[in-house]
Amino acid sequence: MSKEETIEHLFRMHYGAMFRLAVAMLHDSDEAKDAVSEVFVRLFRDNFHLPKKGTGAYLLVSVRNQCLDIIRQKQMKERVNKLLTIETESDLSPIQHQTDCYMELLAFADNKLTTQTRTVFRLRFDKQLSYKAIAEQIGISEAAVYKHLIQAIRKMKEQFNPNQT
């Protein structure tokens, strides 16, 4: 059986259970479909050899991990948005204000953060890479990625929301 046929067979056999797990974790059927699809895309793309026994369990764990990554990404975005809330100015249009704020954040990141912290921050929020992908790309641990992001957010919060620290 070719790789494509094998993955298609696994998809047909396990999609229902994987989808139900993803919906239960994410509470959104579109995100659940995306999570399950991402697992199969990785299987196809990464030339990974599946275990001969326990394939269904492996796929469920993979979906669970993908859902946890999605949840972590959402939580980080919410925390950043909450930490970097800036009072709106009445004379600026909302879009112009958001653009100005974003440009101010980027300028701060480029000028005030260390090279490593700036790189991690940009990969996370500009390219929306996962912690794992960032860690692999720049050769540090996922924990170090987390620490660099926390450091960037803390410095930005001190700069832009000094009364909320």
Side-chain angles (χ1 to χ4, degrees), residues 15-49:
Y15 180 82
M18 294 168 73
F19 177 73
R20 285 188 299 277
L21 174 61
V23 167
M25 291 183 73
L26 300 173
H27 308 290
D28 183 331
S29 63
D30 289 336
E31 283 185 337
K33 288 177 187 175
D34 290 344
V36 173
S37 296
E38 181 63 28
V39 169
F40 284 105
V41 166
R42 282 194 199 141
L43 283 176
F44 186 76
R45 183 186 60 215
D46 295 343
N47 291 325
F48 184 76
H49 298 290

Side-chain angles (χ1 to χ4, degrees), residues 130-144:
S130 67
Y131 287 20
K132 183 177 181 179
I134 294 169
E136 290 172 357
Q137 186 168 338
I138 60 177
I140 61 176
S141 69
E142 288 183 53

